[in-house]
Amino acid sequence: MTTPAPGLASTSERRLILAHVWVVVLSFGVAAGMAMMQALSRANLELPYRSARMYYMSVTGHGVLMALVFTTFFIMGIGYVIAQKETGFIRWRKFAWAMFWLAVLGTALAGWAIFTFRASVLYTFYPPLQAHPAFYIGLTLVVVGSWGWAANMIVSWRAARRTSQERPVSLAMHATTVNALLWCLATLGVASEMLFLLIPWSLGWVETVDPLLARTLFWYFGHPLVYFWLLPAYTIWYTVLPREAGGKLFSEPLGRMVFILFLILSTPVGFHHQFQDPGISANWKMLHTMLTMAVTFPSLVTAFTVCASLEVAGRLRGGTGLFGWIRRLPWGEPFVAACLLAMLLFLVGGFGGAVNAAYALNSVVHNTAWIQGHFHLTVGSATALTFMGACYWLVPKLTGRELELRLLAQVQPYLWFGGMVLFSFTNHVTGLMGLPRRLFETGYADAAQAQTWESLTSVSALGGILLFVSAGFFMLVMLGTLLAGPRKEQPAIVWAEPLAEPAGGFRNGLWDRLGLWFAVAVLLVVLAYAIPLWDMLSMTRYGSPGFKPF
Ligand code: HAS
Ligand code: CU1
């Protein structure tokens, strides 16, 4: 191992973080390859091996690897970086390794079930589609591994608090701890779904499963899951981007507030994925809608704060006039470009989210290609592109090696942006034209309606090709840097400075009381879920046997 950036982790700590990075890079590579096949398949191109069985296996593999594995391992890795910087070392190192290997084992089990065609149930694994028990047990192990990480973040936060009673922990530590708390609360839903419903059912201990209850427990988890993906991207936008772009963070207290609002508002909103489900009364759907509208607020504050920070950067770099500062931002820096382009795509994806959350509009877009357009702009861009950019920033610091193939790293975010524009925008439009999501055969035997969206599915496939090339560039840069980048001392990690000291100075304030806010979050969850869940458990329930159509 070479000398890392000053102040960054001992050799064994870097090994732990780099182990996470390896899983990130490899899972991303496999998932990106499958995505390309799917995009071409949906354009009805005759490919070798094209079949419904192959398609649903591939969509499951892509969804699980991208949404559950790539993201979770990145989030754990960056969390360790933050905790180590905050407190000087990573706590419970052996336990952290054990949790890492548990999550890897879980990924391997689920991967085996998927790639041997035993789990074509898509990443939301809705019953009555039924998978091999290894799939459910594997994913449960990934979650248990991530609980070990969450405990580590919370303990590190407490240690940092103890050493500095007066001054709050850094915004980065605050944010990663909030994300860990949010994760603990959210995963209760999926853990109960797995333990009480899906695992016993897949093992044959019970004959039937209640799809409505399972979906409800899934979405109790599924919505905060999207913020579990988003908050690390926001953490990077608040604490790394302003400085790398040459400026300062516009307001630190606003950042602290934003993460707390996510902690309390992320979970009690899951019914916005179930507007079209029977068995949940309109009143509860209404409450969840209102809370969904509320949870867009911290994102709007983020749009403002991050934009203001970028304006500071652009002006410090000599930008003038109304928009001159935008041109002055370092668009050629791979990390900065990835973040800026991710943000631009998220602007569109976020507003699409507000459309989804409106009941009447949801009935138009639900289960159409619009939804896959939406989530490729959010998790597929805001999150994934920011994480890729963060790898360009972080991996050289971890390895003490320069970024290899820098030109490819500079081009890669633009290719992703272009690919996503072609892919996601056309998916929004074809969705409005009635094209269902998750459909293998989009041609409907040349039906007239299907012909109207045909040219657009080809544009979307073209987007898929650009995304594939972009993913290939990312892989080459990462593998090159990890294995062969030229050795050179790297600058230390320094969080973005705030533009001005907060009024009243840097002191622990209301937003730093994580225990209090966690209690508020639990209370809101009970309010939003206790009665509808009780109703669901007490109504006459009709279970379903399992189905394995593919
Ligand atoms: Fe969503 C479905 C509502 C955000 C992910 N969402 C999904 C699914 C996924 C997903 C994966 O209400 C599909 C699930 C499935 O498979 O069935 N979503 C929302 C709302 C928001 C939202 C209201 N979603 C996300 C994020 C995700 C994500 C974030 C992942 C990371 N979503 C829904 C609904 C459904 C749904 C329904 C169900 C649909 C159905 O019927 O099935 C909001 O949180 C969004 C708020 C965001 C904004 C944008 C803020 C913009 C920022 C960027 C600033 C950029 C600047 C540019 C300033 C309001 C922060 C600066 C640049 C310069 C160059 C200067
Ligand atoms: Cu959601």
Side-chain angles (χ1 to χ4, degrees), residues 192-425:
S192 358
E193 184 194 8
M194 291 292 195
L195 293 180
F196 300 122
L197 302 180
L198 301 182
I199 293 178
W201 175 63
S202 67
L203 287 168
W205 297 347
V206 291
E207 294 273 296
T208 61
V209 70
D210 176 348
L212 176 64
L213 182 60
R215 285 165 68 91
T216 303
L217 291 173
F218 181 85
W219 286 117
Y220 166 99
F221 153 79
H223 188 82
L225 169 68
V226 315
Y227 293 123
F228 176 67
W229 300 328
L230 183 70
L231 295 198
Y234 277 11
T235 307
I236 290 162
W237 296 354
Y238 275 101
T239 64
V240 183
L241 178 65
R243 186 183 162 89
E244 296 294 313
K248 295 189 174 190
L249 172 59
F250 178 74
S251 163
E252 155 136 333
L254 272 182
R256 285 178 196 273
M257 176 195 79
V258 158
F259 289 100
I260 295 296
L261 290 179
F262 279 114
L263 176 60
I264 59 181
L265 293 169
S266 288
T267 313
V269 298
F271 290 165
H272 69 224
H273 293 265
Q274 294 182 277
F275 283 145
Q276 315 305 325
D277 282 16
I280 302 165
S281 85
N283 298 335
W284 292 110
K285 289 179 180 170
M286 182 67 187
L287 176 70
H288 282 225
T289 303
M290 282 156 54
L291 289 167
T292 303
M293 295 303 167
V295 77
T296 60
F297 176 69
S299 283
L300 295 170
V301 174
T302 299
F304 169 77
T305 313
V306 173
C307 211
S309 308
L310 290 171
E311 181 174 350
V312 171
R315 294 204 187 283
L316 282 174
R317 297 171 71 92
T320 50
L322 202 51
F323 296 115
W325 58 271
I326 298 178
R327 255 199 325 272
R328 283 303 175 105
L329 294 172
W331 291 91
E333 283 299 321
F335 165 75
V336 175
C339 291
L340 294 179
L341 297 171
M343 286 158 68
L344 288 173
L345 292 171
F346 188 52
L347 211 50
V348 182
F351 287 110
V355 167
N356 299 345
Y359 185 88
L361 297 175
N362 184 275
S363 58
V364 177
V365 299
H366 183 63
N367 271 346
T368 71
W370 169 286
I371 303 299
Q372 89 215 17
H374 164 69
F375 69 70
H376 280 88
L377 293 178
T378 51
V379 64
S381 299
T383 298
L385 188 51
T386 302
F387 287 6
M388 286 186 260
C391 286
Y392 298 147
W393 165 78
L394 181 63
V395 172
K397 296 189 194 302
L398 289 170
T399 55
R401 291 173 184 275
E402 280 232 271
L403 206 58
E404 183 74 333
L405 303 170
R406 197 180 152 76
L407 182 64
L408 295 193
Q410 284 174 307
V411 175
Q412 183 273 327
Y414 292 90
L415 275 177
W416 195 268
F417 181 84
M420 266 313 168
V421 166
L422 295 181
F423 178 83
S424 289
F425 290 15

Side-chain angles (χ1 to χ4, degrees), residues 73 100-111 138 141-142:
F73 278 86
F100 166 79
W101 284 114
L102 191 67
V104 170
L105 173 70
T107 304
L109 271 179
L141 295 183
V142 174

Side-chain angles (χ1 to χ4, degrees), residues 65-191:
L65 284 179
M66 281 296 195
L68 306 177
V69 177
F70 161 76
T71 50
T72 306
F73 278 86
F74 179 88
I75 294 166
M76 295 195 290
I78 191 97
Y80 286 129
V81 171
I82 294 171
Q84 152 0 93
K85 181 166 163 51
E86 189 78 16
T87 64
F89 64 102
I90 298 176
R91 284 173 170 66
W92 305 347
R93 206 116 17 102
K94 286 203 175 113
F95 179 67
W97 270 112
M99 291 294 108
F100 166 79
W101 284 114
L102 191 67
V104 170
L105 173 70
T107 304
L109 271 179
W112 169 79
I114 295 169
F115 295 120
T116 56
F117 298 92
R118 289 177 171 86
S120 297
V121 292
L122 310 176
Y123 85 104
T124 42
F125 43 88
Y126 289 152
L129 284 180
Q130 193 182 50
H132 189 281
F135 175 81
Y136 303 118
I137 293 171
L139 290 186
T140 305
L141 295 183
V142 174
V143 170
V144 174
S146 70
W147 283 343
W149 165 83
N152 204 314
M153 294 303 104
I154 294 164
V155 169
S156 304
W157 178 86
R158 286 174 64 101
R161 268 283 276 221
R162 259 200 311 277
T163 45
S164 154
Q165 293 287 346
E166 267 297 297
R167 215 180 152 80
V169 304
S170 70
L171 179 57
M173 190 68 221
H174 173 84
T176 196
T177 313
V178 163
N179 209 23
L181 289 170
L182 178 124
W183 188 237
C184 292
L185 187 59
T187 42
L188 291 180
V190 74

